[in-house]
Amino acid sequence: MIGYVVLGTNDLPRASAFYDTLLAEMGVSRMMEFGQRGYAWAAAMDQPMLCIMTPYDGKPATVGNGVMVGISVASRELVDRMHQKALELGGADEGAPGLRAEGGEGFYAAYFRDLDGNKLDLFCYG
């Protein structure tokens, strides 16, 4: 149902380097470029995309309180590895990898904020 999610940035070169490196951990690369405005990453053109863009209105990007993007990955090991990579790249820890009862049986997740303060969740079931 989700086609794409757009996260705002005030430093496109820094944000794109962060996501190029982080998403490469799961074999995802840039699929689209929007000139000076941003980029989109996906496993394939018919799969959901994560976009990083400067705001269309030219005003500074801000973080939405209560907004979070969940990235589904294949295994607990990949959750662990990507969470660690996000922190190595300068992201902030918002919750170490582990089982979370609120996600149901077998929901394994880790939380972080990217370099612009956007909150993301890496998760898998099993």
Side-chain angles (χ1 to χ4, degrees):
M1 191 160 114
I2 302 296
Y4 60 88
V5 172
V6 177
L7 297 175
T9 183
N10 292 307
D11 189 337
L12 188 57
R14 181 181 73 148
S16 59
F18 179 89
Y19 283 102
D20 280 340
T21 304
L22 180 65
L23 297 176
E25 293 288 319
M26 58 188 288
V28 172
S29 60
R30 284 189 203 180
M31 295 297 287
M32 299 177 77
E33 297 192 13
F34 307 107
Q36 301 290 324
R37 295 233 22 253
Y39 305 100
W41 291 260
M45 286 299 288
D46 63 344
Q47 297 295 309
M49 291 186 181
L50 175 64
C51 306
I52 304 298
M53 300 185 78
T54 58
Y56 184 77
D57 64 7
K59 296 178 182 175
T62 59
V63 177
N65 187 26
V67 175
M68 180 175 64
V69 174
I71 299 174
S72 176
V73 302
S75 67
R76 290 181 182 190
E77 184 275 329
L78 191 52
V79 168
D80 296 348
R81 192 172 80 224
M82 290 184 67
H83 182 259
Q84 182 60 42
K85 180 62 74 175
L87 302 183
E88 289 171 9
L89 293 168
D93 183 22
E94 284 283 317
L99 288 168
R100 303 291 199 281
E102 66 272 12
E105 184 69 29
F107 181 68
Y108 188 84
Y111 303 86
F112 69 94
R113 289 195 184 267
D114 71 7
L115 304 177
D116 288 289
N118 297 300
K119 188 172 181 179
L120 292 96
D121 164 30
L122 302 159
F123 74 93
C124 69
Y125 280 91

